[in-house]
Amino acid sequence: LEASAWQRSDFIINAAYERGMAVLGVLNHAPEWGSYYDEPYASIGLEEAPDVDLFAAYATRVAQRYGDKVSAYEIWNEPNGVTGWAPNINPELYTEVLIAAYNAIKAVNPDTLVVAGVLGAVVDSPFTMDPRKFVQRMYAAGAQGYFDALSFHPYHYSLKFGDGKYNIFEPWKANSPLEQVLAIRQLMIDNGDEALRIWASEYGLPTFGLNGVTEDQQRDYIADFLVEWAKLDFAGPAFLYTLRDAFLNGEITEATSFGLFKYDPVTGQWVAKKVVDWLMEFLADPENPTDPGTVTPPPRNIIEAIAVALQSVFEQIRATVQLFQQ
């Protein structure tokens, strides 16, 4: 039973290692028997906060199994949402888990990087916590010294990353992913972690469903993000989510349509979305990226500005409701 549980990750990690690819592992799941709480929150589709000691033991087993085949480990995934840290978002408990996992991994291999935070770009709500507040409380709980980098997921489907700078004429941008990551960086500096970097360990846009975008917009937003992220002097690696679309119960969904490739049912082949051509050129010469195309103009007047602001608010509410429903 245990051997079969390792098979999938063994295959992926060994295949990457054979090809000289670095792997960022994500330690993100607790079975009901490994939860910090007694209630079975996993049975309603939520990730349960893990038992601190059991999670540290698990981190030890993983680090021992994969050695230098895994370059870095993220500790959990988006714990600033109740779907990722049930039943209550708790930066203090997350910090306990982080410290225990850090010590466990470093005891096996001191050179393996430990990445903390793994935070979603959300705002405060009954179901989510602003990542700036989460990081602040992490530091207050003693997280400093127990991670080698912080990571952040700057998703936004209606605002390009590079367009997120706050100004008095666009007050809704105060909560943009760009403003959030700049504030997180300042918290790192204030707490003596200026030498560390922030990794963007997930970014992408879906091309199907209620919040889905066109392939043109997916291309334009990803192009903007990669170019603008590289300009930040504290920026670490950036990861696109994900390589190809997937199917849930045989159907494409919003959550499974972030891929750079899509399935063509006519030919039975995986074909590139529009972003791939730009990516090929960008990776060939990242210092001189090509113009990705259409740029969304700023609001022309105060009425349009208000409409854009309201749209942003509605999207945040809708995303929060969907998060709860999921």
Side-chain angles (χ1 to χ4, degrees), residues 187-211:
L187 285 167
M188 295 172 70
I189 294 171
D190 294 343
N191 285 276
D193 279 339
E194 184 173 2
L196 305 186
R197 292 183 176 270
I198 300 177
W199 296 21
S201 55
E202 278 187 38
Y203 180 80
L205 297 94
T207 55
F208 183 85
L210 183 63
N211 291 311

Side-chain angles (χ1 to χ4, degrees), residues 1-19 21 23 25 58 61-67 69-70 73:
L1 179 62
E2 181 176 345
S4 64
W6 290 102
Q7 282 182 353
R8 184 171 182 269
S9 54
D10 284 352
F11 177 84
I12 294 170
I13 290 171
N14 288 331
Y17 185 75
E18 290 167 3
R19 291 162 175 78
M21 299 171 65
V23 173
Y58 163 65
R61 297 283 301 279
V62 175
Q64 289 173 338
R65 188 175 188 88
Y66 295 120
K69 293 179 180 179
V70 174
Y73 289 101

Side-chain angles (χ1 to χ4, degrees), residues 26-287:
V26 185
L27 303 183
N28 173 48
H29 184 68
E32 290 182 9
W33 56 264
S35 171
Y36 185 83
Y37 301 98
D38 294 331
E39 296 82 354
Y41 295 103
S43 65
I44 57 173
L46 305 180
E47 284 288 352
E48 304 186 47
D51 176 275
V52 177
D53 295 332
L54 290 176
F55 189 81
Y58 163 65
T60 297
R61 297 283 301 279
V62 175
Q64 289 173 338
R65 188 175 188 88
Y66 295 120
D68 61 0
K69 293 179 180 179
V70 174
S71 304
Y73 289 101
E74 283 188 316
I75 306 305
W76 215 252
N77 181 62
E78 299 188 356
N80 61 326
V82 291
T83 57
W85 195 268
N88 300 304
I89 302 167
N90 188 330
E92 291 73 26
L93 177 57
Y94 173 79
T95 300
E96 287 187 49
V97 171
L98 168 66
I99 292 172
Y102 178 93
N103 288 332
I105 293 167
K106 294 292 186 178
V108 175
N109 186 352
D111 294 329
T112 301
L113 300 179
V114 175
V115 183
V118 205
L119 300 168
V122 295
V123 296
D124 283 333
S125 79
F127 316 113
T128 54
M129 180 181 290
D130 189 306
R132 293 166 288 196
K133 181 186 295 184
F134 195 97
V135 171
Q136 184 179 40
R137 286 175 57 175
M138 279 178 58
Y139 274 118
Q144 201 275 338
Y146 292 98
F147 56 89
D148 301 302
L150 281 175
S151 62
F152 181 58
H153 297 167
Y155 289 111
H156 203 298
Y157 305 158
S158 61
L159 178 68
K160 291 181 179 178
F161 180 78
D163 291 340
K165 188 65 177 174
Y166 168 81
N167 64 79
I168 60 173
F169 300 107
E170 298 173 300
W172 58 89
K173 292 184 177 180
N175 291 318
S176 72
L178 176 58
E179 288 294 336
Q180 289 181 340
V181 79
L182 292 174
I184 291 170
R185 177 58 179 171
Q186 189 58 52
L187 285 167
M188 295 172 70
I189 294 171
D190 294 343
N191 285 276
D193 279 339
E194 184 173 2
L196 305 186
R197 292 183 176 270
I198 300 177
W199 296 21
S201 55
E202 278 187 38
Y203 180 80
L205 297 94
T207 55
F208 183 85
L210 183 63
N211 291 311
V213 302
T214 66
E215 288 188 24
D216 286 327
Q217 185 175 341
Q218 183 194 47
R219 176 200 61 208
D220 294 354
Y221 275 50
I222 287 176
D224 170 84
F225 167 68
L226 290 176
V227 171
E228 295 302 320
W229 183 260
K231 294 177 182 178
L232 302 174
D233 60 7
F234 55 82
F239 297 73
L240 295 181
Y241 181 83
T242 183
L243 182 61
R244 70 181 192 180
D245 290 346
F247 295 91
L248 184 64
N249 298 323
E251 295 182 357
I252 192 74
T253 69
E254 181 179 311
T256 63
S257 67
F258 283 77
L260 307 180
F261 289 81
K262 61 185 178 182
Y263 182 74
D264 184 346
V266 176
T267 63
Q269 301 293 318
W270 290 96
V271 298
K273 296 181 184 178
K274 291 184 178 181
V275 65
V276 172
D277 286 340
W278 183 88
L279 275 171
M280 295 292 287
E281 294 183 15
F282 175 75
L283 293 173
D285 188 9
E287 296 299 323

